[in-house]
Amino acid sequence: MSHIPARSTARLLTPALLGWIAGIAAQLQQRELWPASRYGLLVVAALILVLLLRRLKPPGARVFITFVVTALFAHASTGLRAGIFLQQALTPALEGKDIQVTGTVSAMPQFGDNSTRFRFRVENAALEGAAVALPSQLYLSWYGNSRNEDGMAAEPTQIAPALRAGERWQFTVRLRAPHGARNPYGFDFELWLWEQDLQATGYVRNGQRDPLPQRLAQTWRHPIEQARQHVRDAILQHTAAYAEGSQDNAAARAMGIVAALVTGDQQAIARSDWDVFRATGVAHLMSISGLHITLFAWLASLLLGALWRRSPRLCLAWPAQQAGLLGGLLLATAYALFSGWGVPAQRTVLMLATVTVLRLSARRWPWPQLWLLAAAVVLLADPWAMLQAGFWLSFVAVGVLFASADQTQQPTPPTLRQRLLSLLREQWLISTTLAPLTLLLFGQVSLIGLLANLAAIPWVTLLVTPLALLGVLRSPLWDVAAQAVQGLAWLLEQLARLPWATLSVAQAPLWAGMAGVLGGLLLAMRLPWPMRLAALPLLMPVLFWQVPALAPGQFELLAADIGQGNAVLVRTARHALLYDTGPRYANDSDAGQRVLVPLLRAYDVRLDELVLSHRDSDHTGGAAAVLGAQPQAGLLSSLEDGHELQRLRPARRCEAGQRWAWDGVAFEVLHPQAADYEGARRSNALSCVLRISNGERTALLVGDIEKAQEARLVGEGARLRADWLLVPHHGSKTSSTAAFLDAVAPQTALVQAGYRNRFGHPAAEVLARYEQRGIDVIATPRCGAAHWHSAQPEHTECERERQRRYWQHRDTAAP
């Protein structure tokens, strides 16, 4: 018979769970880890409080002490785990060295346009014949044709082979510490690596003068990953034949979605399809999300329970309901493992396991305790999941369903109509209450998400996914699944084309987002409508938040962290300009799509002008994505007439003497001259030099000009003096001459360059010239995105310091 926990136990259970969650949350805010001894003191303090708890009788004191005890244990255990993990980090002295490693491909490789990325389990490693210690697992890239690590052309390399999970290899690698871009509201790549237990990234040395990589053997290690790759490759081969037969690119794209649903290979989904899925709010369905795992467990439980009831002997041995429940959990776990065991799948399996154990033990807990217990179990396994958007979306959605559920016992099973109405109501509540959280996390929400999900959820989970999985047994079913995907894709594309399909707002601060989530929860709960409507004011801050406007006559610069390239956002009181758009990382990935478009959306910026200093790919790589997201922006550049970007947006030629003013701030182009466009010239020589000034403070953006252009600007007496300088050509030896620096005399100079870039930017001799003149040099590898304001010219805010956390890499070698 089910029962509710005793009152005394229930009274302490809630503060215990809240304490565990609060303790982890507090530890995740640490900028630096404490010594292990300090965490040990927290454990000792918690044990003392446990002894005190046994002597306390007042209920209020016992509740408070329970909260504190679990908070201390959670804080200490998380800190100790992080400290142990950091002890296995890559030794800085090994970065950039040629290291010979032997080991096994430990996961299904991901194949890109010019590279193969894979995880590698290290057995042994040697540097110049001497054994060295490396992290147990590496995240490597094997580039083909040419290495393109920094978005630039590179040396020819040997073509990468078709790697397979379980293969044992020996090759030479160059490694570096986990280092990713740090931008406001941007993706934390270093946290992702941390959660994946990866402490070093790098690439295989496979140039013409490097030792040949050697495949040693095919092993039986990592059998699940081998099976995943076998199925993924079978789907891709089937895709090629299917697309060739249909002469339709949409068929190949649909089969890529099928591959993603079966094996979790999200790279199989085209970028254009991801854009449609995000605009319609169904992106969660096209990856192995918690919803997939939950519905899979539910369907498996119903099927196993029905089969179990056919055998009286089995029913006498164990009730069919419990057998179905446990069997559904086991099958869902197997599906999660086969699909890559991603973090969302892990969270869902842990949550399902928690609920299953409680039901099998005949316990029935109040929903708030069950909700908190599921969160605590997930955070016990992975404390850093709390920093992932998916964690909050999943658990807020579950909380909404719990809070809005009818807790009364129904005398009769619900009819089909009642079930459909219930599903419609639940989808409406989830869409409504998650909207504030989605705006907080992403700055964008789909206004047609409810309609799209009503069609997509049953279609994908009850039709496409089962067909895709059954295709492992009979491959023609993959064709049927792909046709079902194409039908859904057509509908979603029509919805995404609606002018009001999405709502984008500036991303609000945390307090506004929390207020919005609380308002959404109150609306979802079964309360009288006057009480629900009282929650509407809580939604206002996150819905109508605006980035504080600049005062007229002031301007600010935000130099994005985009690797090896330039990208600087300039804002005045009512206008905005973007100077360059960073590099292209691969054919389907660039700084515009990955960094700049989300950044502009987060600040709710509408560009008036896009300036492309010159045609080099590290300055124009993200232009297409930015122009696509900012159709109203003008284009000013030194691009030649036949450049591919001219087909997207005809550009005005950048010429010295061009001037305009926005909100009391003057903009002036200093270079190039109109005559410079005649004849063949290096693209660097045509870099647009832009001077920005409000009369008191000045910034100078110079692109990749070199010594000759610097000398001409100085010789012509151009107005070069500035407070803030974008270092020419990323700190190359070909730029930043002494005469130019004397003429500019900046207080601050910023180098936008990639971490450990192969060009050696900024050069040591260039940095020495800046140091001799007392110029403060800041580099994005150490600073992350750099924020400078004309009202505070002596201060540049670095994103890496503003949001510093202990798992993030710190480049001590950069200026």
Side-chain angles (χ1 to χ4, degrees):
M1 179 178 177
S2 63
H3 62 277
I4 297 176
R7 182 172 299 178
S8 59
T9 303
R11 185 182 295 120
L12 296 182
L13 180 61
T14 300
L17 295 174
L18 288 173
W20 186 264
I21 296 171
I24 291 175
Q27 199 281 331
L28 296 182
Q29 301 306 309
Q30 287 189 265
R31 295 173 64 87
E32 302 288 348
L33 282 178
W34 294 341
S37 58
R38 190 176 299 184
Y39 292 116
L41 289 176
L42 293 183
V43 174
V44 172
L47 292 174
I48 293 173
L49 289 175
V50 169
L51 296 176
L52 179 62
L53 182 64
R54 300 180 63 182
R55 298 177 178 273
L56 289 174
K57 292 185 178 181
R62 290 173 63 85
V63 167
F64 176 74
I65 295 298
T66 300
F67 175 87
V68 174
V69 166
T70 54
L72 291 176
F73 273 124
H75 194 290
S77 63
T78 304
L80 289 171
R81 284 176 60 179
I84 293 172
F85 184 59
L86 277 181
Q87 289 177 2
Q88 307 164 17
L90 178 69
T91 304
L94 297 179
E95 289 191 271
K97 301 293 179 63
D98 287 344
I99 303 173
Q100 187 180 70
V101 297
T102 302
T104 308
V105 178
S106 59
M108 179 178 70
Q110 301 291 322
F111 301 109
D113 293 322
N114 192 44
S115 67
T116 299
R117 298 185 183 274
F118 59 100
R119 301 185 191 207
F120 190 73
R121 180 73 61 178
V122 178
E123 297 174 9
N124 55 70
L127 174 63
E128 297 178 352
V132 294
L134 295 180
S136 61
Q137 192 171 202
L138 309 175
Y139 190 50
L140 299 177
S141 298
W142 191 322
Y143 293 95
N145 296 329
S146 63
R147 184 164 66 82
N148 197 30
E149 185 179 13
D150 298 306
M152 303 288 288
E155 60 179 303
T157 59
Q158 303 162 19
I159 296 177
L163 296 176
R164 301 196 66 82
E167 287 183 338
R168 192 165 178 267
W169 280 83
Q170 182 182 80
F171 35 57
T172 301
V173 298
R174 282 192 180 176
L175 303 177
R176 67 182 190 178
H179 187 96
R182 291 294 299 152
N183 291 287
Y185 309 105
F187 175 67
D188 192 341
F189 180 63
E190 293 163 20
L191 175 63
W192 181 85
L193 290 172
W194 177 281
E195 279 208 286
Q196 302 295 323
D197 294 330
L198 295 167
Q199 293 247 45
T201 64
Y203 64 92
V204 176
R205 293 285 293 172
N206 61 330
Q208 296 178 352
R209 291 171 293 181
D210 296 317
L212 285 174
Q214 297 182 47
R215 181 184 182 275
L216 303 179
Q218 173 68 52
T219 73
W220 289 100
R221 300 172 187 172
H222 314 292
I224 295 177
E225 290 298 322
Q226 292 190 47
R228 289 183 65 214
Q229 185 170 2
H230 176 76
V231 172
R232 194 268 309 270
D233 291 349
I235 295 176
L236 293 179
Q237 292 173 6
H238 193 81
T239 300
Y242 182 68
E244 182 179 356
S246 66
Q247 299 295 319
D248 185 3
N249 181 53
R253 288 164 44 198
M255 199 66 79
I257 296 173
V258 171
L261 291 173
V262 176
T263 66
D265 183 11
Q266 295 188 23
Q267 289 191 347
I269 300 179
R271 175 176 160 184
S272 57
D273 288 331
W274 277 123
D275 293 338
V276 172
F277 299 153
R278 293 189 185 100
T280 54
V282 302
H284 63 97
L285 286 173
M286 304 306 168
S287 58
I288 306 301
S289 65
L291 179 62
H292 273 101
I293 305 298
T294 302
L295 287 174
F296 185 91
W298 176 66
L299 291 172
S301 177
L302 290 179
L303 179 60
L304 288 174
L307 294 174
W308 197 272
R309 291 185 184 92
R310 291 180 173 272
S311 172
R313 181 176 299 178
L314 292 176
C315 289
L316 290 174
W318 205 15
Q321 184 178 6
Q322 294 186 4
L325 194 64
L326 183 60
L329 172 64
L330 294 176
L331 288 176
T333 303
Y335 178 42
L337 286 169
F338 187 78
S339 62
W341 197 236
V343 173
Q346 295 176 34
R347 290 196 299 261
T348 304
V349 168
L350 286 171
M351 181 184 68
L352 290 173
T354 302
V355 175
T356 299
V357 168
L358 287 177
R359 289 191 177 181
L360 292 179
S361 62
R363 295 184 180 275
R364 184 184 174 198
W365 288 12
W367 74 261
Q369 291 182 345
L370 182 58
W371 187 40
L372 292 174
L373 178 63
V377 169
V378 169
L379 296 178
L380 174 64
D382 179 16
W384 299 275
M386 183 178 284
L387 299 168
Q388 299 290 348
F391 172 86
W392 294 105
L393 291 171
S394 298
F395 282 97
V396 170
V398 172
V400 168
L401 295 178
F402 277 150
S404 60
D406 187 355
Q407 304 296 325
T408 61
Q409 296 290 331
Q410 298 295 331
T412 58
T415 63
L416 177 61
R417 179 175 179 274
Q418 289 173 331
R419 289 181 182 272
L420 291 176
L421 290 176
S422 177
L423 288 174
L424 177 62
R425 177 178 176 276
E426 289 175 358
Q427 186 60 45
W428 163 257
L429 289 173
I430 290 177
S431 300
T432 303
T433 53
L434 285 187
L437 183 59
T438 305
L439 288 174
L440 173 67
L441 295 172
F442 306 112
Q444 186 180 54
V445 67
S446 174
L447 297 180
I448 57 173
L450 174 61
L451 178 61
N453 276 282
L454 285 175
I457 287 177
W459 193 259
V460 172
T461 56
L462 300 180
L463 179 63
V464 177
T465 301
L467 287 172
L469 291 172
L470 290 173
V472 176
L473 303 177
R474 293 192 57 83
S475 59
L477 291 176
W478 285 331
D479 299 340
V480 182
Q483 292 171 359
V485 167
Q486 286 182 272
L488 177 64
W490 178 86
L491 173 62
L492 295 178
E493 287 174 2
Q494 305 311 308
L495 293 175
R497 288 179 181 148
L498 296 174
W500 41 268
T502 59
L503 170 67
S504 296
V505 298
Q507 285 186 245
L510 181 60
W511 67 264
M514 293 178 65
V517 172
L518 178 60
L521 287 173
L522 289 176
L523 283 175
M525 296 182 71
R526 290 182 176 271
L527 298 172
W529 273 108
M531 296 182 64
R532 294 194 194 187
L533 295 177
L536 292 179
L538 295 174
L539 301 173
M540 297 299 104
V542 72
L543 290 175
F544 299 103
W545 176 262
Q546 297 290 327
V547 176
L550 299 176
Q554 299 295 336
F555 67 99
E556 65 177 6
L557 309 177
L558 178 60
D561 186 2
I562 39 80
Q564 185 72 18
N566 282 157
V568 181
L569 174 64
V570 184
R571 291 179 62 234
T572 66
R574 291 177 297 176
H575 295 84
L577 173 149
L578 181 63
Y579 183 88
D580 283 340
T581 59
R584 174 176 294 178
Y585 308 119
N587 288 342
D588 59 348
S589 177
D590 56 66
Q593 172 240 344
R594 284 171 51 177
V595 177
L596 299 176
V597 171
L599 184 67
L600 295 173
R601 183 186 302 130
Y603 283 102
D604 196 24
V605 169
R606 287 174 54 86
L607 291 178
D608 296 276
E609 198 78 55
L610 172 61
V611 178
L612 298 177
S613 62
H614 60 299
R615 68 169 180 259
D616 285 1
S617 63
D618 57 329
H619 297 255
T620 63
V626 172
L627 290 172
Q630 300 279 340
Q632 78 290 336
L635 180 59
L636 180 67
S637 76
S638 61
L639 300 175
E640 64 274 18
D641 292 339
H643 195 280
E644 60 183 5
L645 289 174
Q646 295 275 18
R647 294 194 294 269
L648 297 178
R649 189 83 45 89
R652 305 190 323 278
R653 179 172 286 184
C654 179
E655 294 182 2
Q658 292 171 328
R659 296 181 178 86
W660 69 93
W662 289 339
D663 309 315
V665 179
F667 294 76
E668 180 182 5
V669 177
L670 303 182
H671 180 80
Q673 300 288 344
D676 293 336
Y677 288 94
E678 301 299 327
R681 299 181 60 90
R682 284 172 52 87
S683 60
N684 288 353
L686 293 176
S687 291
C688 300
V689 175
L690 183 64
R691 181 179 184 270
I692 309 165
S693 179
N694 63 0
E696 296 181 355
R697 302 298 177 187
T698 301
L700 195 62
L701 310 179
V702 298
D704 282 357
I705 61 171
E706 299 180 334
K707 295 178 181 178
Q709 293 77 49
E710 291 180 357
R712 190 169 102 176
L713 286 168
V714 173
E716 292 175 347
R719 295 192 298 170
L720 296 176
R721 188 166 295 278
D723 302 276
W724 193 92
L725 171 68
L726 181 64
V727 171
H729 202 179
H730 321 289
S732 167
K733 296 178 182 178
T734 63
S735 306
S736 296
T737 59
F740 180 75
L741 294 182
D742 290 338
V744 180
Q747 182 178 353
T748 303
L750 179 79
V751 179
Q752 279 189 302
Y755 174 66
R756 298 192 64 85
N757 64 86
R758 64 187 181 87
F759 308 99
H761 296 160
E765 61 191 71
V766 171
L767 291 177
R769 287 198 287 271
Y770 283 89
E771 184 178 359
Q772 290 168 3
R773 289 159 178 80
I775 301 170
D776 183 22
V777 178
I778 299 172
T780 50
R782 187 173 185 178
C783 177
H787 198 168
W788 182 85
H789 198 295
S790 60
Q792 298 176 303
E794 70 287 345
H795 175 66
T796 299
E797 184 179 59
C798 290
E799 186 66 18
R800 281 192 175 271
E801 288 304 314
R802 189 179 73 87
Q803 294 287 348
R804 178 70 186 161
R805 296 295 183 268
Y806 58 81
W807 58 82
Q808 294 167 359
H809 178 243
R810 178 169 294 176
D811 182 18
T812 56

